[in-house]
Every structure is written in C-alpha cells, then in structure tokens.
Amino acid sequence: MSVAARTATSAVRDRIQDRLDVLNDPSRRAPHAFLKVISRIHRVLPRRLRALVPVTFIGYALINGSAFVIDICLLWVMYERMHVFYPLAVTLGYLVAGAYSLVLNRWLNFQSHGSLSAQGGRYVVGLVSQYVIFILGLSSVLHLAGVNAELARVISACCEGLYLYTLMRLWVFRGTPEPVEDEEEAVALGSSAVAA
C-alpha cells in the first residue's frame, strides 16, 4: 500500500472515530434519552391533547416538578433544621431550583446551544416577573378574595408554570426548534403501539 493510500485510510479512520466519540459523549446521550422518555409519554396522551401539548411541555413539567421538590426540601432543611431566616431560606431554595431548572431545560429539554448568558439573563427576568405576578400577586389577591391560602398557592403555581413554560419557549430559548426524536425509531414505536 502506498503512503498516500495509508494517509487517506488513516484520515478516514480518524473521521469515523471522531464521529463515534461524539455519539458516545455522555453530554449528547442524556438529551437523546430524555427526548425518548418524554416522546413516549407524549404518545400516550389522547390525540387531541397531543396536538395541543408540545413534547417540551412534558419535559418542562418533569424538570420543574423536580425543581419544586428541591425547592421545598431546601426550604425545610434551611428553615427547620438550620434555622435560617425564613425569607432568606425561601429565596435561596427558589434560586437553587431556578438554576437547576434553567440548566436542565436548556440541556435536556429544549437542547439549546445559544448563549448561556443571554438565555440566563432572560430566564432571570422571567423568574422575577413570575415571582411578582403569581407568587406574590395572584396568590395574595385570591387569598384576599376569600380563597383558602393553600388553594390560592396551588392555583397560582399552575398559572406560573404555564407562564414560565411559555416564556421559555417563546423568549428564553427563542429560535430553538422543538426537538424531534429519531424518525425511524418513532415510526417503529408508533406502529408497534397501533398493533398492540
């Protein structure tokens, strides 16, 4: 084999290895696996609801549901166990949950590759506006109108969840297309679901 042929073969082998390395990169496997999970959940929804609910909303609900659990757990630990001043404990829990939500939604759910500082800045504006409008505003108005405090907070939490998802989809991660599962795999899963 000539030197030129060996060099060409080596170059091809290196390109193939580079592509395999990208596929084996854990930072790329996790978003793909997350998309498979939320796509399967999305396919279970009734057809009319599936047409209205984007796949990323399901991912958002999973991520932000776990962020809420983290927020409440941190509040409990800091306030009940560490005796941190209550407003500080609430704020710290909210900040940690917010950062967790931004990172996971960016990486796993929306799979965005835009500027983290620009997206993070827009997300902070969204969190502050959400806090003022829904956590302080709507829940207080509902409570003053005679709604039970816990029920008022649950209603405001549902509204703030829809608000923050819409803000993320249209503003924070604007221009990021809805992630799509591998077509062949989705078709195979869809046909097996129809056959079952």
Side-chain angles (χ1 to χ4, degrees):
M1 199 182 256
S2 71
V3 175
R6 281 189 214 141
T7 305
T9 305
S10 177
V12 169
R13 190 177 323 122
D14 289 343
R15 274 186 275 164
I16 291 171
Q17 187 59 48
D18 288 343
R19 287 187 180 160
L20 289 174
D21 288 344
V22 166
L23 292 174
N24 289 326
D25 181 6
S27 68
R28 295 193 185 270
R29 280 196 313 243
H32 180 70
F34 188 77
L35 179 58
K36 283 173 72 170
V37 169
I38 63 176
S39 294
R40 285 182 181 160
I41 294 169
H42 190 257
R43 282 191 290 274
V44 173
L45 296 176
R47 188 176 306 250
R48 285 190 174 178
L49 187 57
R50 199 176 333 143
L52 296 173
V53 176
V55 172
T56 52
F57 184 79
I58 294 172
Y60 168 82
L62 292 173
I63 291 169
N64 282 47
S66 64
F68 183 72
V69 170
I70 289 170
D71 184 0
I72 296 302
C73 289
L74 286 173
L75 174 62
W76 180 79
V77 167
M78 286 188 284
Y79 184 68
E80 295 293 332
R81 298 292 177 209
M82 298 171 63
H83 307 291
V84 173
F85 182 56
Y86 182 75
L88 180 61
V90 167
T91 303
L92 289 174
Y94 189 70
L95 289 175
V96 169
Y100 165 88
S101 170
L102 171 64
V103 169
L104 290 186
N105 271 299
R106 181 178 193 275
W107 176 44
L108 298 176
N109 194 27
F110 291 98
Q111 299 180 20
S112 177
H113 302 290
S115 167
L116 179 59
S117 62
Q119 291 172 346
R122 290 191 294 262
Y123 186 74
V124 167
V125 169
L127 281 182
V128 170
S129 64
Q130 167 193 323
Y131 185 79
V132 171
I133 295 168
F134 296 104
I135 295 175
L136 295 179
L138 180 61
S139 63
S140 298
V141 168
L142 289 172
H143 184 62
L144 289 173
V147 176
N148 173 285
E150 288 77 17
L151 179 59
R153 182 62 187 101
V154 168
I155 292 169
S156 71
C158 292
C159 293
E160 77 187 57
L162 292 172
Y163 170 79
L164 191 57
Y165 172 77
T166 303
L167 200 68
M168 290 174 102
R169 179 82 240 148
L170 299 177
W171 191 47
V172 175
F173 301 117
R174 70 174 171 234
T176 303
E178 186 81 4
V180 179
E181 190 177 15
D182 182 24
E183 293 296 325
E184 294 173 5
E185 193 174 318
V187 169
L189 286 172
S191 63
S192 66
V194 171

